[in-house]
Amino acid sequence: MPDPTDAEGLTVGQVSARLGVTVRALHHWDEIGLARPSLRTPAGYRLYTAGDLERLHRIAVYRELGLGLDRIRAVVDDWATDVPGALRAQRAQVAERIEHLRQLGAGLDRMIDAHERGLLLTAEQQAALFGPRWNPDWPAEARERYGDTTQWRQYAERSAARGPEEWRAVADAMTDLERALGDAMDAGVRPGSPEANDLADRHREVFSSYFPLTRRMQVCLGRMYETDPGFAAHYDGVRPGLAGWFRRIVDAAARAHGIDPETATWE
């Protein structure tokens, strides 16, 4: 609180220390006419009287509550101003910011969980969405294997924004693709044919729901589908021999774009 014994006035530095207001703020308030010192030293330095300090204290209180300088000017200068109304309006704005920060915090929690877990679904939700061939241990295994890669980060960022319905759309698209692959294999579609190349392109498009997949990366993925026991069992469960056939159509599509499947590496 102001000290009425400061008859000779306080310097800017003294006021700053007493009220916890920066010198820069005091200079700005002086320049805009919000709180001008009543006195000057012979050398032209600002000196604030007890009355000035009282005004500054009020300004500092309302500033701490988040009011803008124009609204503060009205509160301290205009006796017709509805101060409770101005404070209620400020309280409403604060409530909006609190809610925004709450949502931001929830979003950060989801993003953290997505980077650490990958799939933000319970085991029961995963089984319901991805079917009986889905292994709920796969996300944790993928995190262990790929957690330090760019692709895992891209996958996590997509996962954080998805709930069960969004994942259902991804799962349905993948199920439709696997069915189309199995039907094409049964129909004798040859690797390198236009239909097979279209299916390879469709796979890259659908798979990109997880992270962007280049042709070279798709070759590596096809290789893994055939050689990894878990993935091979999944695709061969759709159609016997599908894992190997899928790799062949991916390799053929890659060759059509000048990529040697034997030397293709993950990007």
Side-chain angles (χ1 to χ4, degrees), residues 68-89:
L69 295 181
D70 288 340
R71 184 169 290 181
I72 291 173
R73 188 193 300 274
V75 168
V76 299
D77 286 341
D78 187 354
W79 291 104
T81 297
D82 179 8
V83 176
L87 295 175
R88 288 190 184 96

Side-chain angles (χ1 to χ4, degrees), residues 17-32:
R18 182 169 295 195
L19 294 183
V21 176
T22 66
V23 170
R24 182 177 179 180
L26 292 171
H27 286 171
H28 179 60
W29 297 349
D30 181 7
E31 291 167 1
I32 65 174

Side-chain angles (χ1 to χ4, degrees), residues 1 22 34 43 71 81 89 93 104 111 115 132 144 150 164 168 191 195 198 208-210 221 244 259:
M1 291 296 291
T22 66
L34 178 62
R71 184 169 290 181
T81 297
Q93 292 179 15
L104 180 60
M111 187 64 76
H115 277 277
E144 182 68 23
T150 297
R168 181 178 297 280
E195 185 177 353
D198 286 345
S208 291
S209 297
Y210 301 104
L221 205 62
I259 298 170

Side-chain angles (χ1 to χ4, degrees), residues 146 149-156 158 162 204-214 217 221 266-267:
Y146 306 114
T149 66
T150 297
Q151 287 74 36
W152 178 265
R153 295 185 182 105
Q154 293 168 328
Y155 167 64
R158 287 162 168 75
R162 289 178 180 153
R204 284 197 309 114
E205 179 182 351
V206 172
F207 191 92
S208 291
S209 297
Y210 301 104
F211 55 79
L213 189 70
T214 67
M217 291 163 67
L221 205 62
W266 194 262
E267 298 173 326

Side-chain angles (χ1 to χ4, degrees), residues 184-267:
M185 186 186 74
D186 289 345
V189 171
R190 292 178 292 105
S193 67
E195 185 177 353
N197 290 342
D198 286 345
L199 284 168
D201 287 342
R202 181 177 168 188
H203 172 264
R204 284 197 309 114
E205 179 182 351
V206 172
F207 191 92
S208 291
S209 297
Y210 301 104
F211 55 79
L213 189 70
T214 67
R215 293 187 185 279
R216 287 182 174 82
M217 291 163 67
Q218 187 183 35
V219 168
C220 298
L221 205 62
R223 191 183 304 150
M224 184 177 69
Y225 285 176
E226 185 179 36
T227 59
D228 181 274
F231 283 107
H234 172 78
Y235 280 92
D236 289 345
V238 177
R239 291 289 198 287
L242 183 60
W245 182 82
F246 175 74
R247 177 180 178 178
R248 291 194 294 276
I249 72 165
V250 167
D251 287 355
R255 290 190 190 95
H257 287 84
I259 298 170
D260 180 2
E262 297 303 319
T263 60
T265 57
W266 194 262
E267 298 173 326

Side-chain angles (χ1 to χ4, degrees), residues 60-135:
V61 167
Y62 287 116
R63 191 64 173 147
E64 182 68 20
L65 292 174
L67 270 70
L69 295 181
D70 288 340
R71 184 169 290 181
I72 291 173
R73 188 193 300 274
V75 168
V76 299
D77 286 341
D78 187 354
W79 291 104
T81 297
D82 179 8
V83 176
L87 295 175
R88 288 190 184 96
Q90 179 65 14
R91 180 66 180 84
Q93 292 179 15
V94 169
E96 290 177 3
R97 289 202 297 272
I98 290 172
E99 175 60 19
H100 173 72
L101 291 172
R102 187 196 66 78
Q103 294 176 6
L104 180 60
L108 286 168
D109 287 341
R110 281 188 62 83
M111 187 64 76
I112 291 168
D113 286 348
H115 277 277
E116 293 179 343
R117 294 168 45 204
L119 198 58
L120 302 185
L121 298 172
T122 66
E124 292 76 14
Q125 289 174 321
Q126 294 177 45
L129 290 173
F130 304 130
R133 290 193 297 270
W134 176 263
N135 184 347

